[in-house]
Amino acid sequence: MPQSAATLSSTAPTLEQVRDLQGRIRQMQATKLETRSLHTHPAIAELLPGGALRAGATYSVDGSTTLLMALLAGPSSAGAWCGVVGMPDFGAEAAARFGIDLDRLVLIPHPGDQWLTVTAAVVDVLTVVVTRPPARTSDANVARLNARLRQRGATLIVLGGWPLSEARLSISNSRWDGLGAGRGYLSARQVTVTVTGRNTMDYPQSARLWLPDPEERFREVSDQRPRAIQERGIVREAVG
Amino acid sequence: MSRVTRAIVLWCPDWPVTATMQEHGIAADAPVALVDRNLVFACSAAARSEGVQRGLRLREAQFRCTGLEVFPYDPVLDARAFEPVLAAIEEIMPGVQLVRPGTCAIRARGPSRYYGGEEQAAVALLRCLGDLGISGARVGIADGPFAAEQAARSTRGGSGTVRIVLAGDSPQFLAPLPIGLLGQSALATLLRRLGINTLGDFAALGATDVRERFDEAGARAHVLAGGRDGAMVVPRIPPKQLDSSASFEPPLDRIDQVTFAFRAAADAFIAGLTRAGLVCTAIRIEVETESGQTSERSWQHPRLFTAADVVDRVRWQLQGSGSIESGLTSAITRVRVEPESVDDIGHHEVGLWGGGADERIHHGLSRVQSMLGHDAVLTATIGGGRVLAERQVLVPWGDRAIAAKAGARPWPGSLPAPAPSTVFEVPRSVAVLSATDEPVDVDERGEITGPIELFSPTASRSDLQPVAAWAGPWPIRERWWDAAQSRSLNRFQVVDASGTAWLLMLDEHRWWAEARYD
């Protein structure tokens, strides 16, 4: 058949395909006992340790609500219930446009001095909870909340620092397109996302992403190959 | 020809006004007007004697009668206030048909035989209304509900509040009345142009001719005009008593006492609904206090109310925004709950495998609501508007979203994509300076005074940083005719030295950050 002949005659699978397949293998394989992966946005997934958001884990995001929405978009579009606690400035319209389902998004903008109780209560019922903790959170409370998360299998995404987080995500070299000196309007942004895992032996993963691109989607900047993957030597392994 | 039913029609003049005065506890001789779309819809007798009439503009009405109390017209209140009247009439005469709030029809045969005559029946009816504190009601008795209603409306106030048109006299009674009473304005205008000004003139036309010329609606009007109204009085089926109330003697002054005491009433309320094969998706709670105040509120539920949900709503209503330990300003004497919208229980039965996840989430979020208050847990929908904070409509968990402005409209001047990820709940004060260290401004022609060079996200001089790119001004001029909601500002987009973009607005020479693209 011509189609299979074409497949046979083509050269080794392209880099894209290899990465795609590896990502899928990683998502299916549980790296530890009893950990479950959540559906994750493909642009972010391969940067995260384990290749996906993990149920019961905590991730911390430094100073970028858009990156936080990118993390939230994956599980939310797959049907998970999400909550946002203690962030009165969360832009619901941007969330909706970035693929977060507002019908399954719950906002608790002002938990007041009951932040821990409220977060623990919503962690019981929601799959992904985004929060900005108050300035001082005692280590004991952090440990209790982490235990609760592991027990309930919920994922916590914290804006700001958080001890015992699975990975820490940050952005750098933000470059906006479309705006000049007194003309144009903001259309898209390229940014370098760096993910530092909990294990200090892991090399920080980073990639240049559109956050967002002109169609308000998240994707990798395609003309530049991700450094992280080159460094890990996957390319050579795959080809050879 | 169909047989004509002898009918009693009870008419309460100015019912909307009477209902509003009852609701707000206003004295009967106060000048009151109800306003619908800035025009007077109804007014009390006192207001009418000062020259206020239906259809007048509000300003003109207030000019004629300076002490006028103005309320918005609420058709739901009309219907709700007439309900006890209907119930009271049903106590003494069976088979009441609601024509419209303020007017009802009753078949005359039974009551006139029971009370020993039509006049006696009418007197009994008026006495019943007098017991309810409603004065000035009129009664008309004639052949057919239409003629009876006209008879009721033809009575004068004072002593002659009953008018009885003898059996068979209805055509003569109707004949001199104007054609406009048929309630079909287009037909009435046309007939007047044809030289037919009274019901009698119209009735004199041949039935076949009228049907050919004016169709079915015209033929029906012709039958009414001729006093041969064959409409039956269709008695309503009295609704089941589904509401439930609890009175407290002595009055209770703590919220937890009230909610505990109301628990049994809430159980009875839900049990009554279940017996009737219904579930409730919206309730109305009325709370009466010792000082005579009443507080009313409607509560909605995304699924259906259980007894615990009803108790929760009572607590939230009492609590307002305070915490559960806070005392009440006045002790509570009575709490009443009534269903506002009900649905068949079959539509809400959980499936064989249960609606597991949703129920669990609802319970969890209700718990958070009972900790923080009803409006602390929100869901968002995107509505219309130009200012970002206005576009995101936040609705308390459990309430239905009602978007004030439609999102699908174009909204010229709204922001192009992408949407900013951080929208400040309260705009932040920022500083924007030109190269010469002067604050940048926009003149009255909409021109910017100079290019933006420096930007401080906290408005303090120590945080000043150079600006990488900027654009603007994009003016927003909204509702200039409305002093309270008018808005006139200029928008800018600015990218600061760290690569973070900001959406700024310049309002009355002051700079604010509306949102941040971070």
Side-chain angles (χ1 to χ4, degrees):
Chain A
M1 280 190 283
Q3 204 181 350
S4 54
T7 317
L8 284 175
S9 64
S10 67
T11 51
T14 60
L15 178 62
E16 300 277 317
Q17 283 171 320
V18 171
R19 268 198 284 137
D20 194 36
L21 288 170
Q22 291 230 332
R24 277 175 61 186
I25 290 167
R26 269 203 304 272
Q27 287 213 7
M28 285 179 206
Q29 281 176 336
T31 47
K32 291 178 193 161
L33 210 60
E34 289 176 30
T35 53
R36 200 162 46 81
S37 294
L38 298 179
H39 191 275
T40 313
H41 197 287
I44 307 276
E46 59 191 30
L47 298 174
L48 294 173
L53 283 173
R54 218 176 284 160
T58 312
Y59 296 85
S60 71
V61 175
D62 271 347
S64 170
T65 316
T66 314
L67 182 58
L68 195 143
M69 287 177 181
L71 285 174
L72 205 53
S76 180
S77 62
W81 278 80
C82 303
V84 180
V85 180
M87 291 177 64
D89 298 338
F90 189 81
E93 188 171 14
R97 296 215 203 154
F98 294 150
I100 296 168
D101 188 348
L102 290 189
D103 291 342
R104 285 192 300 272
L105 181 74
V106 180
L107 306 171
I108 306 173
H110 298 286
D113 49 3
Q114 307 198 47
W115 175 82
L116 187 75
T117 329
V118 169
T119 310
V122 292
V123 153
D124 274 357
V125 290
L126 304 180
T127 313
V128 186
V129 177
V130 171
T131 183
R132 187 208 302 270
R136 288 189 309 116
T137 319
S138 74
D139 286 349
N141 285 341
V142 170
R144 269 157 63 194
L145 192 57
N146 270 335
R148 187 86 162 233
L149 286 168
R150 273 196 302 279
Q151 186 193 350
R152 297 286 172 183
T155 303
L156 188 71
I157 303 175
V158 179
L159 189 66
W162 186 257
L164 304 175
S165 65
E166 180 79 16
R168 188 183 180 88
L169 292 86
S170 61
I171 61 167
S172 55
N173 296 329
S174 165
R175 187 168 68 77
W176 278 95
D177 287 353
L179 202 65
R183 61 189 162 69
Y185 59 88
L186 296 173
S187 63
R189 167 167 78 161
Q190 288 187 20
V191 75
T192 304
V193 175
T194 308
V195 180
T196 318
R198 176 197 277 187
N199 192 343
T200 43
M201 299 301 284
D202 284 351
Y203 201 81
Q205 312 280 312
S206 67
R208 191 83 180 149
L209 300 183
W210 287 104
L211 210 65
D213 76 353
E215 283 94 45
E216 298 194 286
R217 282 175 301 143
F218 305 125
R219 61 184 167 90
E220 212 163 320
V221 178
S222 48
D223 54 354
Q224 192 182 351
R225 284 197 297 187
R227 260 168 291 157
I229 292 197
Q230 290 174 343
E231 278 156 5
R232 270 187 287 163
I234 288 175
V235 179
R236 255 168 289 128
E237 276 172 29
V239 175
Chain B
M1 201 178 78
S2 58
R3 251 172 44 117
V4 175
T5 319
R6 192 113 179 110
I8 306 176
V9 166
L10 171 82
W11 174 51
C12 303
D14 299 327
W15 179 255
V17 177
T18 315
T20 308
M21 287 164 108
Q22 270 191 349
E23 171 84 8
H24 296 275
I26 300 166
D29 53 351
V32 174
L34 300 188
V35 176
D36 186 28
R37 277 163 277 184
N38 208 30
L39 298 179
V40 173
F41 180 82
C43 58
S44 66
R48 201 172 298 121
S49 67
E50 301 250 4
V52 180
Q53 356 171 309
R54 182 178 177 161
L56 221 54
R57 286 179 61 171
L58 175 60
R59 197 187 298 173
E60 175 71 20
Q62 281 171 329
F63 170 71
R64 289 190 188 177
C65 175
T66 45
L68 191 66
E69 289 195 57
V70 178
F71 296 96
Y73 170 58
D74 179 7
V76 179
L77 172 65
D78 275 13
R80 200 169 68 226
F82 201 57
E83 194 59 34
V85 177
L86 287 178
I89 296 172
E90 272 163 351
E91 297 265 310
I92 60 162
M93 302 180 183
V96 180
Q97 179 188 11
L98 174 70
V99 179
R100 72 187 75 86
T103 309
C104 63
I106 308 151
R107 206 170 346 184
R109 207 180 61 169
S112 66
R113 195 182 279 176
Y114 180 78
Y115 288 100
E118 289 178 341
E119 180 139 19
Q120 286 83 337
V123 169
L125 197 54
L126 287 174
R127 198 183 311 126
C128 163
L129 255 69
D131 293 345
L132 288 176
I134 295 160
S135 56
R138 319 281 176 82
V139 175
I141 304 177
D143 296 340
F146 176 73
E149 189 180 345
Q150 299 315 321
R153 283 173 184 269
S154 70
T155 53
R156 298 276 156 269
S159 56
T161 52
V162 180
R163 172 137 189 194
I164 299 171
V165 179
L166 294 177
D169 285 356
S170 289
Q172 287 87 325
F173 163 70
L174 290 172
L177 298 177
I179 199 83
L181 292 178
L182 286 172
Q184 299 185 24
S185 58
L187 179 69
T189 312
L190 181 57
L191 288 172
R192 264 189 230 111
R193 286 190 189 156
L194 293 170
I196 294 166
N197 287 315
T198 62
L199 295 178
D201 292 347
F202 186 40
L205 301 175
T208 323
D209 297 341
V210 170
R211 184 181 294 273
E212 276 176 2
R213 175 67 179 80
F214 298 110
D215 214 348
E216 218 35 62
R220 163 93 188 124
H222 184 250
V223 168
L224 290 181
R228 299 185 304 278
D229 179 11
M232 305 277 285
V233 173
V234 184
R236 69 164 193 161
I237 299 162
K240 288 202 179 69
Q241 288 295 315
L242 295 173
D243 57 339
S244 180
S245 67
S247 301
F248 309 120
E249 183 59 44
L252 301 177
D253 57 355
R254 284 180 55 88
I255 292 172
D256 43 0
Q257 290 174 336
V258 175
T259 49
F260 186 75
F262 190 69
R263 192 148 297 184
D267 283 335
F269 172 69
I270 297 299
L273 283 166
T274 312
R275 260 199 309 281
L278 297 169
V279 294
C280 191
T281 55
I283 57 171
R284 182 173 195 84
I285 296 174
E286 291 172 16
V287 178
E288 286 172 21
T289 62
E290 203 177 14
S291 62
Q293 290 170 325
T294 47
S295 105
E296 283 186 30
R297 216 202 124 154
S298 299
W299 296 91
Q300 295 176 327
H301 198 280
R303 296 182 62 250
L304 51 98
F305 278 100
T306 62
D309 291 332
V310 174
V311 174
D312 265 351
R313 299 312 188 272
V314 170
R315 184 169 61 227
W316 294 341
Q317 183 160 336
L318 294 173
Q319 201 169 320
S321 52
S323 71
I324 191 161
E325 282 84 16
S326 70
L328 296 158
T329 50
S330 176
I332 306 293
T333 53
R334 187 162 176 270
V335 177
R336 179 168 169 272
V337 54
E338 63 176 31
E340 212 172 52
S341 76
V342 289
D343 200 359
D344 196 284
I345 203 164
H347 300 163
H348 290 267
E349 198 49 57
V350 275
L352 190 54
W353 311 113
D358 272 12
E359 184 130 349
R360 204 167 54 87
I361 286 165
H362 182 70
H363 275 290
L365 296 177
S366 299
R367 216 172 86 221
V368 177
Q369 273 182 322
S370 61
M371 271 190 271
L372 299 174
H374 176 58
D375 43 11
V377 182
L378 306 165
T379 51
T381 49
I382 302 304
R386 295 179 178 86
V387 175
L388 293 166
E390 218 170 66
R391 287 177 69 89
Q392 45 191 35
V393 184
L394 300 175
V395 189
W397 175 260
D399 283 3
R400 247 160 266 159
I402 300 155
K405 296 175 174 178
R409 305 272 163 73
W411 295 109
S414 59
L415 209 62
S421 51
T422 299
V423 176
F424 296 115
E425 194 182 31
V426 180
R428 288 190 188 180
S429 180
V430 297
V432 175
L433 303 178
S434 67
T436 54
D437 239 14
E438 296 281 317
V440 178
D441 205 345
V442 170
D443 62 21
E444 60 267 28
R445 296 190 67 86
E447 298 284 339
I448 192 163
T449 54
I452 296 172
E453 295 284 347
L454 295 166
F455 167 68
S456 160
T458 55
S460 79
R461 293 196 70 84
S462 55
D463 290 333
L464 276 176
Q465 46 183 307
V467 164
W470 64 278
W474 302 321
I476 297 178
R477 307 268 179 275
E478 277 189 328
R479 303 185 80 82
W480 46 265
W481 61 89
D482 183 351
Q485 292 183 21
S486 75
R487 182 180 285 147
S488 165
L489 42 87
N490 289 285
R491 265 186 173 157
F492 290 82
Q493 279 179 336
V494 165
V495 178
D496 67 15
S498 68
T500 304
W502 297 77
L503 180 68
L504 307 181
M505 53 190 188
L506 179 63
D507 187 11
E508 301 282 334
H509 313 292
R510 294 196 59 186
W511 286 89
W512 302 96
E514 187 186 352
R516 187 172 59 199
Y517 301 79
D518 56 4

